[in-house]
Amino acid sequence: MRKPLIAGNWKMNKTVSESVEFAREFVGKVSDVNDRDILICPPFTSLYAMREIFKDTGVKLGAQNMYYKDSGAYTGEISPLMLKDVGCDYVILGHSERRHIFGEDDNLINEKVVAAVSHGLIPILCVGELLEDREAGKTFDVVGNQLERGLKGISSKDNFVVAYEPVWAIGTGKTATPELAEEVHSFLREKLASLFGKEKAETVRILYGGSVKPENVNGLMAMKNIDGALVGGASLKVDSFVKIVKFGR
Ligand code: PEP
């Protein structure tokens, strides 16, 4: 049985004081939730202050990116050691905005995934096709390759999460239907089984991301292979994120 994971990706939004205000209100509203994992990935600048508020609550903290070296002359980068130190349990890697705006490729993302795991961070490896890939019938090829390349060197003993985020659904208001998302999730689980064995594949959480909202989360979460959500826009307001966290209730 896979425990659902609902993760908020704030992207480049919220100052420290806005983050703290959100966190204080949010923890009070989800204190009765323990049958699912809750994660927020704010900007780096808010991590320390939010750690203090999430301490002794069930809400986990994650980062939206990192570099794969521990330290050194890498201006502007953040290391896995630093993320552990500031209280992160998870790190989102290979988000489509990192791939398409900042040019990250599968090799770099793989270095980051391996570094995250070796430092005890749980990577959330994002995969997803462009609209043109889908229209050309290449969805499975694209996401299958991203998965396999992103997880090179990872073993069945390692803890990781996968997020399927069709690029055409991110921030556009267009959600994949539950059936369409399930088709890709089920393909990804089969691919995980071919890479790590069926037993491991059954334990890996595969999140759906792409315009998840309170209105569509129940339909998505009813699917057999959808184990949670990676939520952008709708995680920025306490009330909408609380409703998503409390899906099905
Ligand atoms: C995301 O940032 O991963 C995402 C899915 O964004 P949105 O929910 O806004 O589409």
Side-chain angles (χ1 to χ4, degrees), residues 9 11 95 97 126 165 169-173 209-212 230-234:
N9 171 17
K11 312 192 184 194
H95 189 278
E97 287 148 20
C126 302
E165 299 206 304
I170 298 178
T172 58
S211 300
V212 175
L230 183 52
V231 187

Side-chain angles (χ1 to χ4, degrees), residues 20 45-46 87 107 134 178 185 212 233 237:
V20 164
T45 44
S46 294
N107 287 338
R134 175 159 286 273
H185 281 237
V212 175
K237 293 224 164 68

